[in-house]
Amino acid sequence: GENVEQHPSTLSVQEGDSAVIKCTYSDSASNYFPWYKQELGKRPQLIIDIRSNVGEKKDQRIAVTLNKTAKHFSLHITETQPEDSAVYFCAASLGGSYIPTFGRGTSLIVHP
Amino acid sequence: DAGVIQSPRHEVTEMGQEVTLRCKPISGHNSLFWYRQTMMRGLELLIYFNNNVPIDDSGMPEDRFSAKMPNASFSTLKIQPSEPRDSAVYFCASSFTSGGDNEQFFGPGTRLTVL
């Protein structure tokens, strides 16, 4: 089955800095890579996703990059704000299985 | 749409008791997932239904856990008998999967405490 590794487990930055979270996956057949944000005590919510036919996707201050050859993808958050503080999960889905494998999560702390 | 609805939001029970968690997916979604979240193990997939049929239950920890989806708008996750190590937040999520994977919409979760 698919295996997703996520790093770092904790990331602390100053407001305004950039934050990068990296994930690797094991199965080259995976073709859907969503990122979820979970605020304390809340449910995970999708913030951005990318499919294997695209190398990069941006949405305002967040972007995701995908390197299929190396089997890794990353989340980039620019100009971080305190409200970005949350746990971020990456996931990978094996094409057509509809079952995502989640990483262990990264706790992002943005200091004002 | 009100989103994915779960009940109860909090459940405190004693070891050995039966626990039933409920989920109403978003109307029109054809896939439903049950997850368990703990600090130690992260977000674990327990079972996945597609068109009300269980497709993958390999994540169900043991026979004490069972899940049903009698129709497209309702699913239950039952633990009988419950044990303290079952204490966790249980999320239900739904999505529309046709021709490719899509966003999962999570419910608010049920925080289960087994004493």
Side-chain angles (χ1 to χ4, degrees), chain A residues 1-111:
Chain A
E2 177 63 277
N3 181 49
V4 176
E5 300 282 341
Q6 183 171 348
H7 299 280
S9 57
T10 305
L11 180 58
S12 183
V13 301
Q14 289 296 128
E15 182 176 0
D17 288 351
S18 294
V20 181
I21 302 170
K22 299 180 179 181
C23 289
T24 60
Y25 60 100
S26 60
D27 197 319
S28 56
S30 289
N31 65 358
Y32 177 63
F33 307 92
W35 287 87
Y36 290 82
K37 175 184 180 182
Q38 186 178 26
E39 297 177 358
L40 189 63
K42 300 290 182 63
R43 74 192 78 185
Q45 290 188 292
L46 182 81
I47 54 171
I48 195 167
D49 57 12
I50 192 168
R51 300 184 190 273
S52 59
N53 59 346
V54 176
E56 184 176 5
K57 185 176 179 180
K58 291 183 179 179
D59 183 2
Q60 300 183 347
R61 294 187 298 108
I62 61 173
V64 58
T65 58
L66 171 65
N67 184 325
K68 289 188 293 182
T69 302
K71 290 187 284 188
H72 68 70
F73 56 113
S74 301
L75 178 72
H76 305 253
I77 306 174
T78 58
E79 301 173 22
T80 53
Q81 301 167 4
E83 50 265 39
D84 294 330
S85 296
V87 177
Y88 291 80
F89 294 93
C90 65
S93 282
L94 213 55
S97 76
Y98 310 130
I99 302 174
T101 299
F102 282 87
R104 289 300 304 272
T106 296
S107 178
L108 173 64
I109 304 165
V110 181
H111 299 279

Side-chain angles (χ1 to χ4, degrees), chain B residues 38-88:
Chain B
T38 61
M39 288 294 293
M40 290 296 294
R41 301 174 69 90
L43 197 59
E44 302 174 274
L45 176 67
L46 301 177
I47 188 168
Y48 157 55
F49 291 88
N50 184 259
N51 293 322
N52 313 337
V53 176
I55 301 300
D56 186 342
D57 65 354
S58 59
M60 296 287 265
E62 48 199 274
D63 292 345
R64 296 185 299 107
F65 286 68
S66 62
K68 294 182 179 180
M69 192 165 185
N71 56 61
S73 59
F74 185 65
S75 178
T76 59
L77 178 68
K78 186 176 295 186
I79 309 173
Q80 166 63 19
S82 57
E83 297 182 3
R85 60 193 167 117
D86 301 330
S87 297

Side-chain angles (χ1 to χ4, degrees), chain B residues 16-31:
Chain B
Q17 296 298 305
E18 177 180 295
V19 174
T20 299
L21 311 181
R22 298 173 177 79
C23 175
K24 177 179 169 52
I26 292 173
S27 177
H29 283 187
N30 62 346
S31 291

Side-chain angles (χ1 to χ4, degrees), chain B residues 2-16:
Chain B
V4 177
I5 299 172
Q6 289 187 248
S7 65
R9 295 291 307 277
H10 302 272
E11 178 81 24
V12 180
T13 190
E14 293 189 345
M15 183 174 62

